[in-house]
Amino acid sequence: MNYCSSCGNQVEGGNRFCGNCGQNLNFNQNTVKAETPLHKMNHFIKKNPIIAIIVAITVTAIIVMAIKDTPAKSADKTLKHHQKHAIEAAESMLEQRIKLHGFSFVKVKKMEATLTEEETINLQPSGNFFIKGIVQLKDKQGKKHDVEYSLDVDFRENRYKPYDLNIWYEYPLIDQVK
């Protein structure tokens, strides 16, 4: 069997021109004896364009699915989302409570949020963070102090509720606490 070297169409030995693309087939210069994989693929695509499109879409979908987030990446994103909002809620409570004690809130210098072990396993849309760190505050005389704190932040359905705030005031700050 001979095939047109231009389009891969099967041609009979006595033909001078390809019946598909019109390529001159004189003296067998433009014919090939065996069908190469490329010719087979070109021939298949020309004869079955809809199937070729479906195959291309399927392959693309498989590649996209492989690149998409794995369950571990998705769980990590969820954890970081909850951690960010828990830290924001904790910072807000710290600022309010420090003002209630008669100090001025300056800034949070250090904050670590640890998800409770039970929720780490499940990564449910609810849980609890234990947060601890150092906050900088200003006393009534304007002097800045670094003070340790800890608190818990509950989260349920994207609501973050801080509670059990502990602030460790040291001497002489303890005398200024109302």
Side-chain angles (χ1 to χ4, degrees):
M1 246 339 122
N2 290 328
Y3 298 91
C4 175
S5 63
S6 177
C7 70
N9 189 45
Q10 185 177 350
V11 293
E12 292 183 23
N15 289 354
R16 293 184 64 206
F17 296 96
C18 174
N20 187 45
C21 71
Q23 175 72 32
N24 184 355
L25 302 174
N26 275 342
F27 308 108
N28 287 335
Q29 295 171 9
N30 293 316
T31 62
V32 290
K33 291 283 181 193
E35 195 172 353
T36 64
L38 184 58
H39 282 105
K40 286 181 181 179
M41 188 169 70
N42 285 340
H43 183 69
F44 178 81
I45 291 171
K46 286 179 182 178
K47 296 286 183 182
N48 305 294
I50 293 175
I51 293 174
I53 290 170
I54 291 170
V55 168
I57 290 171
T58 304
V59 169
T60 303
I62 291 169
I63 291 170
V64 168
M65 295 292 279
I67 294 172
K68 192 177 174 188
D69 287 346
T70 63
K73 285 181 184 177
S74 181
D76 191 46
K77 283 182 182 178
T78 301
L79 174 64
K80 287 180 181 179
H81 166 81
H82 288 307
Q83 191 174 33
K84 175 185 174 226
H85 290 289
I87 286 172
E88 289 169 356
E91 206 170 316
S92 177
M93 182 184 202
L94 271 168
E95 187 173 353
Q96 292 170 10
R97 194 63 60 86
I98 286 170
K99 287 179 182 177
L100 284 176
H101 288 186
F103 299 101
S104 298
F105 177 84
V106 179
K107 66 180 176 180
V108 172
K109 292 185 80 174
K110 179 180 175 187
M111 185 174 281
E112 297 172 359
T114 307
L115 193 61
T116 61
E117 191 171 328
E118 176 185 332
E119 297 302 330
T120 301
I121 295 166
N122 298 326
L123 283 175
Q124 300 295 321
S126 62
N128 182 277
F129 281 98
F130 175 71
I131 299 178
K132 66 179 182 175
I134 298 171
V135 65
Q136 190 174 70
L137 53 87
K138 198 183 304 180
D139 64 19
K140 293 175 185 174
Q141 288 78 36
K143 187 175 178 186
K144 292 180 182 176
H145 303 271
D146 291 348
V147 178
E148 290 185 43
Y149 68 90
S150 72
L151 69 142
D152 291 293
V153 177
D154 240 356
F155 64 94
R156 303 233 182 289
E157 298 175 5
N158 286 324
R159 291 193 178 113
Y160 300 84
K161 181 181 176 189
Y163 65 95
D164 286 344
L165 174 64
N166 294 304
I167 303 175
W168 291 281
Y169 296 103
E170 296 176 8
Y171 179 82
L173 285 178
I174 201 153
D175 295 333
Q176 296 182 40
V177 177
K178 292 182 180 180

